[in-house]
Coordinates of all heavy atoms in Angstrom, one line a residue:
M15 N 28.5 -23.7 -24.1 CA 27.5 -24.4 -23.2 C 28.0 -25.7 -22.9 O 27.8 -26.2 -21.9 CB 26.2 -24.2 -24.0 CG 25.1 -24.9 -23.6 SD 23.6 -24.3 -24.5 CE 24.1 -23.8 -26.0
A16 N 28.5 -26.4 -24.0 CA 28.9 -27.8 -23.7 C 30.4 -27.9 -23.3 O 30.8 -28.9 -22.8 CB 28.7 -28.7 -25.0
D17 N 31.1 -26.8 -23.5 CA 32.5 -26.8 -23.1 C 32.7 -26.6 -21.6 O 32.0 -25.8 -21.0 CB 33.2 -25.7 -23.8 CG 33.3 -25.8 -25.3 OD1 33.3 -27.0 -25.8 OD2 33.5 -24.8 -25.9
P18 N 33.6 -27.5 -21.0 CA 33.8 -27.4 -19.5 C 34.5 -26.0 -19.3 O 35.1 -25.5 -20.1 CB 34.6 -28.6 -19.2 CG 35.3 -29.0 -20.5 CD 34.3 -28.5 -21.6
I19 N 34.4 -25.5 -18.0 CA 35.1 -24.4 -17.6 C 36.5 -25.0 -17.1 O 36.5 -25.8 -16.2 CB 34.3 -23.6 -16.4 CG1 32.9 -23.1 -16.9 CG2 35.1 -22.5 -15.8 CD1 32.0 -22.7 -15.9
P20 N 37.5 -24.5 -17.6 CA 38.8 -25.1 -17.6 C 39.6 -25.1 -16.2 O 40.4 -25.7 -15.9 CB 39.6 -24.6 -18.6 CG 39.1 -23.1 -18.8 CD 37.6 -23.3 -18.6
R21 N 39.0 -24.1 -15.3 CA 39.7 -24.0 -14.0 C 38.6 -23.4 -13.0 O 37.6 -23.0 -13.5 CB 40.9 -23.2 -14.0 CG 40.7 -21.8 -14.6 CD 42.0 -21.0 -14.6 NE 41.9 -19.9 -13.7 CZ 42.3 -18.7 -13.9 NH1 42.8 -18.3 -15.0 NH2 42.2 -17.8 -13.0
K22 N 38.9 -23.5 -11.9 CA 38.0 -22.9 -10.8 C 38.3 -21.5 -10.6 O 39.5 -21.0 -10.6 CB 38.0 -23.8 -9.5 CG 39.1 -23.7 -8.7 CD 38.9 -24.6 -7.5 CE 40.2 -24.6 -6.6 NZ 39.9 -25.4 -5.4
F23 N 37.1 -20.7 -10.2 CA 37.3 -19.3 -10.0 C 36.7 -19.0 -8.5 O 35.8 -19.8 -8.1 CB 36.5 -18.5 -11.0 CG 37.1 -18.6 -12.3 CD1 36.8 -19.6 -13.2 CD2 38.2 -17.7 -12.7 CE1 37.4 -19.8 -14.5 CE2 38.8 -17.9 -13.9 CZ 38.3 -18.8 -14.9
D24 N 36.9 -18.0 -8.0 CA 36.2 -17.5 -6.8 C 34.8 -17.2 -7.1 O 33.9 -17.5 -6.2 CB 36.9 -16.3 -6.1 CG 38.3 -16.5 -5.6 OD1 38.6 -17.6 -5.3 OD2 39.1 -15.5 -5.6
L25 N 34.5 -16.6 -8.3 CA 33.2 -16.2 -8.6 C 32.8 -16.4 -10.1 O 33.7 -15.9 -10.9 CB 33.0 -14.7 -8.2 CG 31.6 -14.1 -8.6 CD1 30.5 -14.7 -7.8 CD2 31.6 -12.6 -8.4
I26 N 31.8 -17.0 -10.4 CA 31.3 -17.0 -11.8 C 30.2 -16.0 -11.9 O 29.3 -16.1 -11.1 CB 30.8 -18.4 -12.2 CG1 31.9 -19.5 -12.1 CG2 30.1 -18.4 -13.6 CD1 31.4 -20.9 -12.3
F27 N 30.4 -15.1 -12.8 CA 29.4 -14.1 -13.0 C 28.6 -14.3 -14.3 O 29.1 -14.3 -15.4 CB 30.1 -12.7 -13.1 CG 29.2 -11.5 -13.2 CD1 28.2 -11.3 -12.2 CD2 29.5 -10.6 -14.2 CE1 27.5 -10.1 -12.3 CE2 28.7 -9.4 -14.3 CZ 27.7 -9.2 -13.3
S28 N 27.3 -14.7 -14.2 CA 26.5 -15.0 -15.3 C 25.2 -14.1 -15.3 O 24.2 -14.4 -14.8 CB 26.0 -16.5 -15.1 OG 25.1 -16.8 -16.2
R29 N 25.4 -12.9 -15.9 CA 24.4 -11.9 -15.9 C 23.6 -11.9 -17.2 O 24.3 -11.7 -18.2 CB 25.0 -10.6 -15.5 CG 24.0 -9.5 -15.4 CD 24.6 -8.2 -14.9 NE 23.7 -7.1 -14.8 CZ 23.5 -6.2 -15.8 NH1 24.4 -6.1 -16.7 NH2 22.6 -5.2 -15.5
H30 N 22.3 -12.0 -17.2 CA 21.5 -11.9 -18.5 C 21.9 -12.9 -19.4 O 22.0 -12.6 -20.6 CB 21.6 -10.4 -19.0 CG 21.1 -9.3 -18.1 ND1 20.0 -8.6 -18.4 CD2 21.3 -9.0 -16.9 CE1 19.7 -7.8 -17.5 NE2 20.5 -8.0 -16.5
T31 N 22.3 -14.0 -19.0 CA 22.8 -15.0 -19.9 C 21.8 -16.2 -20.0 O 21.4 -16.6 -21.1 CB 24.2 -15.6 -19.6 OG1 25.1 -14.5 -19.4 CG2 24.7 -16.6 -20.5
L32 N 21.6 -16.9 -18.9 CA 20.8 -18.1 -18.8 C 19.4 -18.0 -19.4 O 18.9 -18.9 -20.1 CB 20.8 -18.7 -17.4 CG 22.2 -19.2 -16.9 CD1 22.1 -19.5 -15.5 CD2 22.9 -20.1 -17.8
M33 N 18.9 -16.9 -19.2 CA 17.4 -16.6 -19.7 C 17.3 -16.8 -21.3 O 16.1 -16.8 -21.6 CB 16.9 -15.3 -19.1 CG 17.6 -14.1 -19.8 SD 17.0 -12.5 -19.2 CE 17.9 -12.4 -17.6
H34 N 18.4 -16.6 -21.9 CA 18.4 -16.8 -23.3 C 18.4 -18.2 -23.9 O 18.4 -18.4 -25.1 CB 19.3 -15.9 -23.9 CG 19.2 -14.3 -23.7 ND1 18.2 -13.7 -24.3 CD2 19.9 -13.6 -22.8 CE1 18.3 -12.4 -23.8 NE2 19.3 -12.3 -22.8
L35 N 18.6 -19.1 -23.0 CA 18.8 -20.5 -23.3 C 17.6 -21.4 -23.2 O 16.7 -21.0 -22.3 CB 19.9 -21.1 -22.6 CG 21.3 -20.4 -22.6 CD1 22.3 -21.1 -21.7 CD2 21.8 -20.4 -24.0
F36 N 17.5 -22.4 -23.9 CA 16.4 -23.3 -23.6 C 16.7 -24.0 -22.2 O 17.9 -24.2 -21.8 CB 16.4 -24.5 -24.7 CG 16.0 -24.1 -26.0 CD1 16.9 -24.0 -27.1 CD2 14.7 -23.7 -26.2 CE1 16.6 -23.6 -28.3 CE2 14.3 -23.3 -27.5 CZ 15.2 -23.2 -28.5
F37 N 15.6 -24.5 -21.6 CA 15.8 -25.1 -20.2 C 16.9 -26.1 -20.2 O 17.7 -26.3 -19.2 CB 14.5 -25.6 -19.6 CG 13.6 -24.4 -19.2 CD1 12.4 -24.7 -18.7 CD2 14.0 -23.1 -19.2 CE1 11.4 -23.7 -18.3 CE2 13.2 -22.0 -18.8 CZ 11.9 -22.4 -18.3
T38 N 16.8 -27.0 -21.1 CA 17.9 -28.1 -21.2 C 19.3 -27.6 -21.3 O 20.2 -28.2 -20.6 CB 17.5 -29.2 -22.4 OG1 17.6 -28.4 -23.6 CG2 16.3 -29.9 -22.1
D39 N 19.4 -26.6 -22.0 CA 20.8 -25.9 -22.2 C 21.1 -25.3 -20.9 O 22.3 -25.3 -20.5 CB 20.8 -25.0 -23.3 CG 20.7 -25.7 -24.7 OD1 21.1 -26.9 -24.7 OD2 20.2 -25.1 -25.6
I40 N 20.2 -24.6 -20.1 CA 20.5 -24.1 -18.9 C 21.1 -25.2 -17.9 O 22.0 -25.0 -17.2 CB 19.3 -23.4 -18.2 CG1 19.0 -22.1 -19.0 CG2 19.5 -23.1 -16.8 CD1 17.6 -21.6 -18.6
G41 N 20.5 -26.3 -18.0 CA 20.9 -27.5 -17.2 C 22.4 -27.9 -17.6 O 23.2 -28.2 -16.6
K42 N 22.7 -27.9 -18.7 CA 24.1 -28.2 -19.2 C 25.1 -27.1 -18.6 O 26.2 -27.5 -18.2 CB 24.2 -28.2 -20.7 CG 23.5 -29.4 -21.3 CD 23.4 -29.4 -22.9 CE 22.6 -30.4 -23.4 NZ 22.4 -30.2 -24.9
V43 N 24.7 -25.8 -18.8 CA 25.7 -24.8 -18.3 C 25.8 -24.9 -16.8 O 26.8 -24.8 -16.2 CB 25.1 -23.3 -18.7 CG1 25.8 -22.3 -18.0 CG2 25.2 -23.3 -20.2
W44 N 24.6 -25.2 -16.1 CA 24.7 -25.4 -14.6 C 25.7 -26.5 -14.2 O 26.5 -26.4 -13.3 CB 23.2 -25.6 -14.1 CG 23.3 -25.8 -12.5 CD1 23.4 -27.0 -11.8 CD2 23.2 -24.7 -11.7 NE1 23.3 -26.6 -10.5 CE2 23.2 -25.3 -10.4 CE3 22.9 -23.4 -11.8 CZ2 23.0 -24.6 -9.3 CZ3 22.7 -22.6 -10.7 CH2 22.8 -23.3 -9.4
S45 N 25.6 -27.6 -15.0 CA 26.5 -28.7 -14.7 C 28.0 -28.3 -14.9 O 28.8 -28.7 -14.1 CB 26.2 -29.8 -15.7 OG 24.9 -30.5 -15.4
N46 N 28.3 -27.5 -15.9 CA 29.6 -26.9 -16.1 C 30.0 -26.0 -14.9 O 31.1 -26.1 -14.6 CB 29.7 -26.2 -17.5 CG 29.8 -27.2 -18.6 OD1 30.1 -28.4 -18.4 ND2 29.4 -26.7 -19.7
F47 N 29.0 -25.3 -14.4 CA 29.4 -24.3 -13.3 C 29.8 -25.3 -12.1 O 30.8 -25.0 -11.5 CB 28.2 -23.5 -12.9 CG 27.8 -22.4 -13.8 CD1 26.5 -21.9 -13.7 CD2 28.6 -21.9 -14.7 CE1 26.1 -20.8 -14.5 CE2 28.3 -20.9 -15.6 CZ 26.9 -20.3 -15.4
Q48 N 29.0 -26.2 -11.9 CA 29.3 -27.1 -10.7 C 30.6 -27.9 -10.9 O 31.4 -28.0 -10.0 CB 28.2 -28.1 -10.6 CG 26.9 -27.6 -10.0 CD 27.0 -27.2 -8.5 OE1 28.0 -27.1 -7.9 NE2 25.9 -26.9 -7.9
A49 N 30.8 -28.4 -12.1 CA 32.1 -29.3 -12.4 C 33.3 -28.4 -12.2 O 34.5 -28.9 -12.1 CB 32.0 -29.9 -13.7
S50 N 33.2 -27.1 -12.4 CA 34.4 -26.3 -12.3 C 35.1 -26.1 -11.0 O 36.2 -25.7 -10.9 CB 34.0 -24.8 -12.8 OG 33.3 -24.1 -11.8
G51 N 34.4 -26.4 -10.0 CA 34.9 -26.4 -8.6 C 34.9 -24.9 -8.1 O 35.5 -24.7 -7.1
S52 N 34.3 -24.0 -8.9 CA 34.3 -22.6 -8.5 C 33.5 -22.4 -7.1 O 32.7 -23.3 -6.9 CB 33.7 -21.7 -9.6 OG 34.5 -21.8 -10.7
A53 N 33.7 -21.3 -6.4 CA 33.2 -21.1 -5.1 C 31.8 -20.6 -5.2 O 30.8 -21.1 -4.5 CB 34.0 -20.3 -4.4
Y54 N 31.6 -19.5 -6.0 CA 30.3 -18.8 -6.0 C 29.7 -18.5 -7.3 O 30.5 -18.4 -8.3 CB 30.4 -17.4 -5.3 CG 30.7 -17.5 -3.8 CD1 32.0 -17.5 -3.2 CD2 29.6 -17.7 -2.8 CE1 32.3 -17.7 -2.0 CE2 29.9 -17.8 -1.4 CZ 31.2 -17.9 -1.0 OH 31.4 -17.9 0.3
L55 N 28.4 -18.3 -7.5 CA 27.8 -18.0 -8.6 C 26.8 -16.8 -8.4 O 26.1 -16.8 -7.5 CB 26.9 -19.2 -9.2 CG 25.9 -18.9 -10.3 CD1 26.8 -18.5 -11.6 CD2 25.0 -20.1 -10.6
L56 N 27.1 -15.7 -9.3 CA 26.3 -14.6 -9.2 C 25.5 -14.6 -10.5 O 26.1 -14.6 -11.6 CB 27.1 -13.4 -9.1 CG 26.4 -12.0 -8.8 CD1 25.7 -12.0 -7.5 CD2 27.5 -10.9 -8.9
M57 N 24.1 -14.6 -10.5 CA 23.4 -14.7 -11.8 C 22.1 -14.0 -11.6 O 21.6 -13.5 -10.6 CB 23.2 -16.3 -12.1 CG 22.2 -16.9 -11.0 SD 22.0 -18.6 -11.5 CE 20.4 -19.0 -10.9
T58 N 21.5 -13.8 -12.9 CA 20.2 -13.1 -13.0 C 19.0 -14.0 -12.8 O 19.1 -15.1 -13.3 CB 20.2 -12.4 -14.4 OG1 21.4 -11.5 -14.5 CG2 19.0 -11.5 -14.5
S59 N 18.0 -13.5 -12.1 CA 16.8 -14.2 -12.1 C 15.6 -13.2 -12.3 O 15.9 -12.0 -12.0 CB 16.6 -15.0 -10.9 OG 15.3 -15.7 -10.9
Q60 N 14.4 -13.6 -12.7 CA 13.4 -12.6 -12.8 C 12.3 -13.2 -11.8 O 12.3 -14.3 -11.4 CB 12.9 -12.6 -14.3 CG 14.0 -11.9 -15.0 CD 13.7 -12.0 -16.6 OE1 13.8 -13.1 -17.1 NE2 13.5 -10.8 -17.2
S61 N 11.2 -12.4 -11.7 CA 10.2 -12.7 -10.6 C 8.9 -13.1 -11.2 O 7.9 -13.1 -10.5 CB 10.0 -11.6 -9.6 OG 9.5 -10.5 -10.4
N62 N 8.9 -13.5 -12.5 CA 7.6 -13.9 -13.1 C 7.1 -15.2 -12.2 O 7.8 -15.9 -11.7 CB 7.7 -14.3 -14.5 CG 8.7 -15.3 -14.8 OD1 9.9 -15.3 -14.4 ND2 8.3 -16.4 -15.6
Q63 N 5.9 -15.3 -12.2 CA 5.2 -16.3 -11.4 C 5.3 -17.7 -12.0 O 5.4 -18.8 -11.2 CB 3.7 -16.1 -11.0 CG 3.5 -14.8 -10.2 CD 4.1 -14.9 -8.8 OE1 4.0 -15.9 -8.1 NE2 5.0 -14.0 -8.5
H64 N 5.4 -17.9 -13.2 CA 5.5 -19.2 -13.8 C 6.5 -19.1 -15.0 O 6.6 -18.0 -15.6 CB 4.2 -19.7 -14.4 CG 3.1 -19.7 -13.4 ND1 2.9 -20.5 -12.5 CD2 2.0 -18.8 -13.1 CE1 1.9 -20.3 -11.8 NE2 1.3 -19.2 -12.0
N65 N 7.2 -20.1 -15.2 CA 8.2 -20.2 -16.3 C 7.6 -20.6 -17.5 O 7.8 -21.7 -18.1 CB 9.4 -21.1 -16.0 CG 10.4 -20.4 -15.0 OD1 10.5 -19.2 -15.0 ND2 10.9 -21.2 -14.1
R66 N 6.6 -19.8 -17.9 CA 5.8 -20.2 -19.2 C 6.1 -19.3 -20.4 O 5.7 -19.5 -21.5 CB 4.3 -19.9 -18.9 CG 3.8 -20.9 -17.8 CD 2.3 -20.9 -17.8 NE 1.8 -21.7 -16.7 CZ 0.7 -21.5 -16.0 NH1 0.0 -20.6 -16.3 NH2 0.4 -22.3 -15.1
Y67 N 7.0 -18.3 -20.1 CA 7.4 -17.5 -21.2 C 8.9 -17.1 -20.9 O 9.4 -17.5 -19.8 CB 6.6 -16.3 -21.5 CG 6.4 -15.3 -20.1 CD1 7.3 -14.3 -19.9 CD2 5.4 -15.7 -19.2 CE1 7.2 -13.5 -18.8 CE2 5.3 -14.9 -18.0 CZ 6.1 -13.8 -17.9 OH 6.1 -13.0 -16.8
R68 N 9.5 -16.5 -21.7 CA 11.1 -16.4 -21.7 C 11.6 -15.8 -20.3 O 12.6 -16.3 -20.0 CB 11.5 -15.5 -22.9 CG 12.9 -15.8 -23.2 CD 13.1 -17.2 -23.6 NE 13.9 -17.9 -22.4 CZ 14.1 -19.1 -22.2 NH1 13.4 -20.0 -23.0 NH2 14.8 -19.6 -21.3
P69 N 11.1 -14.8 -19.7 CA 11.7 -14.5 -18.4 C 11.9 -15.6 -17.5 O 10.9 -16.4 -17.3 CB 10.8 -13.4 -17.7 CG 10.0 -12.8 -19.1 CD 9.9 -14.0 -20.1
V70 N 13.0 -15.9 -16.9 CA 13.2 -17.1 -16.2 C 13.3 -16.8 -14.7 O 14.2 -16.0 -14.3 CB 14.6 -17.8 -16.7 CG1 14.9 -19.1 -15.8 CG2 14.4 -18.2 -18.1
N71 N 12.5 -17.4 -13.9 CA 12.6 -17.3 -12.5 C 13.2 -18.5 -11.9 O 12.5 -19.6 -11.9 CB 11.1 -17.1 -11.9 CG 11.1 -16.9 -10.4 OD1 12.0 -17.2 -9.7 ND2 10.0 -16.4 -10.0
F72 N 14.4 -18.5 -11.3 CA 15.0 -19.8 -10.9 C 14.5 -20.2 -9.6 O 14.9 -21.3 -9.1 CB 16.5 -19.5 -10.8 CG 17.3 -19.4 -12.2 CD1 17.4 -18.3 -12.9 CD2 17.5 -20.7 -12.8 CE1 18.0 -18.3 -14.1 CE2 18.1 -20.6 -14.0 CZ 18.3 -19.5 -14.7
F73 N 13.6 -19.5 -9.0 CA 12.9 -20.0 -7.7 C 11.7 -20.8 -8.0 O 11.1 -21.4 -7.1 CB 12.6 -18.8 -6.9 CG 13.7 -17.9 -6.6 CD1 13.8 -16.6 -6.9 CD2 14.8 -18.5 -5.8 CE1 14.9 -15.9 -6.7 CE2 16.0 -17.6 -5.6 CZ 16.0 -16.3 -6.0
R74 N 11.2 -20.9 -9.2 CA 10.0 -21.6 -9.6 C 10.4 -22.8 -10.4 O 11.5 -22.9 -10.9 CB 9.2 -20.8 -10.5 CG 8.7 -19.5 -9.9 CD 7.5 -19.8 -9.0 NE 7.0 -18.5 -8.4 CZ 6.1 -18.5 -7.5 NH1 5.7 -19.6 -6.9 NH2 5.8 -17.4 -7.0
P75 N 9.5 -23.9 -10.5 CA 9.8 -25.0 -11.4 C 10.0 -24.6 -12.8 O 9.5 -23.6 -13.2 CB 8.5 -25.8 -11.2 CG 7.8 -25.4 -9.9 CD 8.3 -23.9 -9.8
P76 N 10.9 -25.3 -13.5 CA 11.4 -26.5 -13.1 C 12.7 -26.5 -12.3 O 13.3 -27.5 -12.0 CB 11.8 -27.2 -14.5 CG 12.1 -26.0 -15.3 CD 11.2 -24.9 -14.8
F77 N 13.2 -25.3 -11.9 CA 14.5 -25.1 -11.2 C 14.3 -25.1 -9.7 O 15.0 -25.9 -9.0 CB 15.1 -23.8 -11.6 CG 15.2 -23.7 -13.1 CD1 14.4 -22.7 -13.8 CD2 16.1 -24.4 -13.9 CE1 14.5 -22.6 -15.1 CE2 16.2 -24.2 -15.2 CZ 15.4 -23.4 -15.9
S78 N 13.5 -24.5 -9.1 CA 13.2 -24.4 -7.7 C 14.3 -24.3 -6.9 O 14.5 -25.0 -5.9 CB 12.3 -25.7 -7.4 OG 11.2 -25.8 -8.1
L79 N 15.2 -23.3 -7.1 CA 16.4 -23.1 -6.3 C 16.0 -22.6 -4.9 O 15.0 -21.9 -4.8 CB 17.3 -22.1 -7.0 CG 17.9 -22.7 -8.2 CD1 18.9 -21.5 -8.9 CD2 18.8 -23.9 -7.9
P80 N 16.8 -23.0 -3.9 CA 16.6 -22.4 -2.6 C 16.9 -20.9 -2.5 O 17.4 -20.4 -3.4 CB 17.5 -23.3 -1.7 CG 18.6 -23.7 -2.6 CD 17.9 -23.8 -3.9
A81 N 16.7 -20.3 -1.3 CA 17.0 -19.0 -1.1 C 18.4 -18.7 -1.4 O 19.3 -19.5 -0.8 CB 16.4 -18.5 0.2
P82 N 18.8 -17.7 -2.0 CA 20.2 -17.3 -2.1 C 20.8 -16.7 -0.9 O 20.2 -16.4 0.0 CB 20.2 -16.4 -3.4 CG 18.9 -15.7 -3.2 CD 18.0 -16.7 -2.8
I83 N 22.2 -16.6 -1.0 CA 22.9 -15.9 0.0 C 22.4 -14.4 0.1 O 22.1 -13.9 1.2 CB 24.4 -15.8 0.0 CG1 24.9 -17.2 -0.1 CG2 25.1 -14.9 0.8 CD1 26.4 -17.4 -0.5
C84 N 22.2 -13.8 -1.0 CA 21.6 -12.4 -1.2 C 21.0 -12.2 -2.4 O 21.3 -12.9 -3.5 CB 22.7 -11.3 -0.8 SG 24.0 -11.3 -2.0
V85 N 20.1 -11.2 -2.4 CA 19.3 -10.8 -3.7 C 19.5 -9.4 -3.8 O 19.3 -8.6 -2.8 CB 17.9 -11.2 -3.6 CG1 17.1 -10.7 -4.7 CG2 17.7 -12.7 -3.4
G86 N 19.7 -8.8 -5.0 CA 19.7 -7.4 -5.2 C 19.0 -7.0 -6.5 O 18.8 -7.9 -7.4
K87 N 18.6 -5.8 -6.7 CA 18.0 -5.4 -8.0 C 19.1 -5.3 -9.0 O 20.2 -5.0 -8.7 CB 17.5 -3.9 -7.8 CG 16.1 -3.9 -7.1 CD 15.0 -4.6 -7.7 CE 14.6 -3.8 -9.0 NZ 13.9 -4.5 -9.9
D88 N 18.9 -5.9 -10.2 CA 19.8 -6.0 -11.3 C 19.7 -4.8 -12.2 O 20.7 -4.3 -12.6 CB 19.6 -7.3 -12.0 CG 20.7 -7.5 -13.0 OD1 21.7 -6.8 -13.1 OD2 20.6 -8.5 -13.8
T89 N 18.5 -4.4 -12.6 CA 18.3 -3.2 -13.4 C 17.2 -2.4 -12.9 O 16.7 -2.7 -11.8 CB 18.0 -3.7 -14.8 OG1 16.7 -4.3 -14.8 CG2 19.0 -4.6 -15.4
N90 N 16.8 -1.4 -13.6 CA 15.6 -0.6 -13.2 C 14.3 -1.2 -13.5 O 13.2 -0.8 -13.2 CB 15.7 0.8 -13.7 CG 15.7 0.9 -15.3 OD1 15.7 -0.1 -15.9 ND2 15.7 2.0 -15.8
K91 N 14.4 -2.4 -14.1 CA 13.2 -3.2 -14.4 C 12.6 -3.7 -13.1 O 13.5 -4.2 -12.3 CB 13.3 -4.3 -15.5 CG 13.7 -3.8 -16.9 CD 13.9 -4.8 -17.8 CE 14.2 -4.3 -19.1 NZ 14.5 -5.3 -20.1
K92 N 11.3 -3.7 -12.8 CA 10.8 -4.1 -11.5 C 11.0 -5.6 -11.2 O 11.0 -5.9 -10.1 CB 9.4 -3.8 -11.5 CG 8.4 -4.6 -12.3 CD 7.0 -4.3 -12.1 CE 6.1 -5.3 -12.9 NZ 4.7 -5.2 -12.5
D93 N 11.2 -6.5 -12.2 CA 11.2 -7.9 -11.9 C 12.6 -8.6 -12.2 O 12.6 -9.8 -12.5 CB 10.1 -8.6 -12.6 CG 10.1 -8.6 -14.1 OD1 10.9 -7.8 -14.6 OD2 9.4 -9.3 -14.7
M94 N 13.6 -7.8 -12.3 CA 15.0 -8.4 -12.6 C 15.9 -8.2 -11.3 O 16.0 -7.2 -10.8 CB 15.5 -7.5 -13.7 CG 16.8 -8.0 -14.2 SD 16.7 -9.4 -15.5 CE 15.9 -8.5 -16.8
F95 N 16.4 -9.4 -11.0 CA 17.3 -9.5 -9.8 C 18.6 -10.2 -10.0 O 18.7 -10.9 -10.9 CB 16.5 -10.3 -8.7 CG 15.2 -9.6 -8.3 CD1 14.1 -9.9 -8.9 CD2 15.2 -8.7 -7.4 CE1 12.9 -9.3 -8.7 CE2 14.0 -8.0 -7.0 CZ 12.8 -8.4 -7.7
I96 N 19.6 -9.9 -9.2 CA 20.8 -10.6 -9.3 C 20.9 -11.4 -7.9 O 20.6 -10.8 -6.9 CB 22.0 -9.6 -9.5 CG1 23.3 -10.4 -9.8 CG2 22.2 -8.7 -8.3 CD1 23.4 -10.5 -11.3
I97 N 21.2 -12.6 -8.1 CA 21.3 -13.5 -6.9 C 22.7 -14.2 -6.8 O 23.3 -14.5 -7.7 CB 20.2 -14.6 -7.0 CG1 20.2 -15.4 -8.3 CG2 18.8 -13.9 -6.9 CD1 19.2 -16.4 -8.5
L98 N 23.1 -14.4 -5.6 CA 24.3 -15.0 -5.2 C 24.1 -16.4 -4.4 O 23.4 -16.5 -3.5 CB 25.2 -14.1 -4.3 CG 26.4 -14.6 -3.9 CD1 27.5 -14.6 -5.1 CD2 27.1 -13.7 -2.7
Y99 N 24.9 -17.4 -5.0 CA 24.9 -18.7 -4.4 C 26.3 -19.2 -4.1 O 27.2 -18.8 -4.9 CB 24.2 -19.7 -5.3 CG 22.8 -19.6 -5.3 CD1 22.0 -19.1 -6.4 CD2 21.9 -20.1 -4.3 CE1 20.7 -19.0 -6.4 CE2 20.5 -20.0 -4.3 CZ 19.9 -19.5 -5.3 OH 18.6 -19.3 -5.4
K100 N 26.4 -20.0 -3.1 CA 27.6 -20.8 -2.9 C 27.5 -22.1 -3.7 O 26.5 -22.9 -3.4 CB 27.9 -21.1 -1.4 CG 29.2 -21.6 -1.2 CD 29.5 -21.8 0.3 CE 30.9 -22.5 0.5 NZ 31.3 -22.5 1.8
L101 N 28.2 -22.3 -4.7 CA 28.0 -23.5 -5.5 C 28.0 -24.8 -4.7 O 27.2 -25.7 -5.1 CB 29.0 -23.4 -6.8 CG 28.6 -22.5 -7.9 CD1 29.7 -22.5 -8.9 CD2 27.4 -23.1 -8.6
S102 N 28.9 -24.9 -3.9 CA 28.9 -26.3 -3.2 C 27.8 -26.6 -2.3 O 27.5 -27.7 -2.0 CB 30.2 -26.3 -2.2 OG 30.1 -25.3 -1.2
S103 N 26.9 -25.6 -2.1 CA 25.7 -25.9 -1.3 C 24.4 -26.1 -2.3 O 23.3 -26.2 -1.8 CB 25.3 -24.7 -0.4 OG 25.0 -23.6 -1.1
M104 N 24.6 -26.1 -3.6 CA 23.6 -26.1 -4.6 C 23.5 -27.5 -5.2 O 24.5 -28.3 -5.2 CB 23.8 -25.1 -5.7 CG 23.9 -23.6 -5.1 SD 22.4 -23.2 -4.3 CE 21.2 -23.3 -5.6
P105 N 22.4 -27.9 -5.8 CA 22.3 -29.2 -6.4 C 23.2 -29.3 -7.6 O 23.5 -28.3 -8.2 CB 20.8 -29.3 -6.8 CG 20.3 -27.9 -6.8 CD 21.2 -27.1 -5.8
L106 N 23.8 -30.5 -7.7 CA 24.7 -30.8 -8.9 C 24.0 -30.6 -10.2 O 24.6 -30.1 -11.2 CB 25.4 -32.2 -8.7 CG 26.3 -32.3 -7.6 CD1 26.8 -33.8 -7.5 CD2 27.4 -31.3 -7.6
N107 N 22.7 -31.1 -10.3 CA 22.0 -31.0 -11.5 C 20.7 -30.2 -11.3 O 20.0 -30.2 -10.2 CB 21.5 -32.4 -11.9 CG 22.6 -33.4 -12.3 OD1 23.5 -32.9 -13.0 ND2 22.7 -34.5 -11.7
L108 N 20.6 -29.3 -12.2 CA 19.4 -28.2 -12.0 C 18.1 -28.7 -12.5 O 17.1 -28.4 -12.0 CB 19.9 -26.9 -12.8 CG 19.1 -25.7 -12.6 CD1 19.1 -25.4 -11.1 CD2 19.6 -24.5 -13.3
L109 N 18.2 -29.7 -13.4 CA 16.9 -30.2 -14.0 C 16.8 -31.7 -13.8 O 17.8 -32.3 -13.7 CB 16.7 -30.0 -15.5 CG 16.7 -28.5 -15.9 CD1 16.7 -28.3 -17.4 CD2 15.3 -27.8 -15.4

């Protein structure tokens, strides 16, 4: 989480990972994603209305990410999605 990503990649794939971290740690990981210079991020989000329990919805506060390039179903669970972003168009700091 605190270790930088040592080189840039075309795509960072972060599936079912960030939702297991505290929000402050998600912010640290996000900073490492941005600092890597990688092009795209494909990650999981959930559709709960409020980030009050563990399922994390990156479209709601405290993250409030803009609409992604595309959204797809991630699993057969009704509220689990995989989302794609161009990292250079995203905020440098998530929190």
Side-chain angles (χ1 to χ4, degrees):
M15 173 168 26
D17 294 335
I19 299 171
R21 59 183 246 224
K22 67 181 178 178
F23 295 92
D24 294 331
L25 175 70
I26 295 173
F27 186 54
S28 177
R29 183 174 180 258
H30 296 240
T31 306
L32 299 177
M33 67 183 76
H34 297 287
L35 304 176
F36 293 110
F37 286 176
T38 55
D39 292 331
I40 291 172
K42 292 174 189 175
V43 171
W44 184 268
S45 294
N46 285 337
F47 288 164
Q48 288 288 14
S50 75
S52 297
Y54 292 92
L55 172 64
L56 187 64
M57 66 184 208
T58 305
S59 184
Q60 293 169 297
S61 63
N62 60 306
Q63 293 300 306
H64 305 284
N65 282 328
R66 294 185 186 157
Y67 56 93
R68 204 57 251 164
V70 177
N71 182 341
F72 285 97
F73 303 116
R74 299 278 182 195
F77 308 107
S78 302
L79 290 179
I83 295 171
C84 65
V85 176
K87 286 293 293 165
D88 187 6
T89 66
N90 60 358
K91 294 181 181 177
K92 69 175 186 166
D93 62 349
M94 186 81 64
F95 299 92
I96 194 89
I97 54 180
L98 178 68
Y99 284 106
K100 184 171 184 177
L101 277 170
S102 64
S103 67
M104 301 303 296
L106 292 177
N107 296 308
L108 195 55
L109 298 172

